[in-house]
Amino acid sequence: MSTVTRQHVTGSAPRSGFLGLLVSPFVTANRIFRPARPDIIADAAIERAQLTRTTIGMAATGWLLYAYPLRMTTQGLLKDKAVDILASTGVIVAIGPIVLLAFVIAARPSARRVYRRRLRGPLTVFGALFGSALVLWFLVVRGGAVQVTQLLGGFQIVGLVVSLAGVLFAVPFAIAAAVLCVHHCLRMADVSEVLPPVSSMVLVWVLFILQAWNNPPVAAPPSVRLLFLLGPPVSVTLLSAWELRRLRVRHGLTLRAALAR
């Protein structure tokens, strides 16, 4: 039985009331950051493998935190994990455009024209990332919520409600955006299905170099620390290599063919 499906943009069932408001930042982020090219090839086996790897990684991290004493407070650990997410997002935002530009330039003119039209997805992701960062900077860092409320004079209650709603939406949206940006590799699959596994291998090894200099959050033996340091880049590299092979064997998609070479 074939595991290939065609991924189409479908609207989720409408939600109402408090639950709808609560999940709306995450639903919006998923719609923006998930690849949405109508004819994109989605392989169920690849998706299961990615989910399995993520689940094992989370379980291993949970075991590590349970088995060994923390070097920092719980608050410090949460802050450290938040920094890791932001670092991953920063790396993919920095590397992603380089990978995309190199891919489009390396393609033959006939394919290059197609890929230029498909850049809308990654450009949408960049716009959403910078837009959410700008909103948070204005409302939280610069105190824009207070400024807007003061400017409205007698309608301060309106400004307060709008500003509070903006913050309550922007914060979870930014968190979801940071995670989905890395998970979906800037929607590079909208340009070509071979780009996410290639860019993932580059991303994890850059992150490995950055994290190699950080102090581990737990007091684990050096062998365990080395295992958990090497585990993510090695597992992602192996998974990406298998994904590229499956795309080639099952769907006839190769990097060379994508470049029309």
Side-chain angles (χ1 to χ4, degrees):
M1 179 181 296
S2 174
T3 58
V4 182
T5 59
R6 294 289 181 180
Q7 179 177 305
H8 296 275
V9 183
T10 56
S12 57
R15 297 174 184 269
S16 59
F18 177 75
L19 180 60
L21 293 174
L22 190 65
V23 302
S24 61
F26 305 101
V27 173
T28 304
N30 184 62
R31 288 177 177 173
I32 292 175
F33 288 86
R34 186 179 182 85
R37 198 179 85 229
D39 61 342
I40 193 171
I41 294 177
D43 191 306
I46 292 176
E47 294 176 356
R48 285 195 299 269
Q50 292 172 342
L51 179 61
T52 300
R53 185 214 163 268
T54 300
T55 303
I56 292 174
M58 293 176 62
T61 300
W63 173 83
L64 183 69
L65 296 176
Y66 173 79
Y68 298 99
L70 292 175
R71 292 178 178 268
M72 57 184 71
T73 62
T74 303
Q75 182 179 0
L77 176 64
L78 294 175
K79 182 179 179 181
D80 185 67
K81 293 304 177 184
V83 170
D84 287 344
I85 294 174
L86 291 176
S88 301
T89 306
V91 170
I92 192 64
V93 167
I95 292 177
I98 299 174
V99 174
L100 282 172
L101 182 61
F103 178 81
V104 173
I105 291 176
R108 289 191 181 277
S110 58
R112 195 179 304 156
R113 287 190 292 271
V114 175
Y115 295 142
R116 281 202 298 262
R117 292 195 296 269
R118 292 180 180 178
L119 288 174
R120 179 181 177 181
L123 290 176
T124 300
V125 167
F126 276 105
L129 282 173
F130 286 110
S132 61
L134 184 62
V135 169
L136 285 176
W137 173 82
F138 174 72
L139 291 178
V140 180
V141 179
R142 294 292 297 176
V146 177
Q147 296 176 27
V148 170
T149 302
Q150 292 175 345
L151 286 174
L152 291 175
F155 299 94
Q156 288 186 1
I157 185 63
V158 176
L160 181 62
V161 171
V162 171
S163 299
L164 180 61
V167 172
L168 292 178
F169 182 89
V171 171
F173 176 85
I175 296 173
V179 175
L180 293 172
C181 171
V182 177
H183 180 72
H184 292 301
C185 288
L186 293 175
R187 281 182 64 170
M188 288 187 187
D190 274 356
V191 179
S192 174
E193 288 86 348
V194 300
L195 278 173
V198 172
S199 58
S200 293
M201 287 189 283
V202 177
L203 170 66
V204 293
W205 286 107
V206 171
L207 288 173
F208 167 78
I209 294 173
L210 295 177
Q211 293 173 349
W213 305 102
N214 293 339
N215 291 324
V218 296
S223 58
V224 175
R225 286 160 47 188
L226 181 62
L227 176 63
F228 274 81
L229 185 63
L230 284 172
V234 170
S235 61
V236 169
T237 299
L238 293 175
L239 180 60
S240 297
W242 172 80
E243 183 177 344
L244 286 170
R245 182 181 182 278
R246 185 171 179 87
L247 288 173
R248 173 176 59 84
V249 173
R250 292 298 184 96
H251 314 302
L253 298 177
T254 66
L255 181 59
R256 184 173 180 179
L259 297 173
R261 295 290 179 180

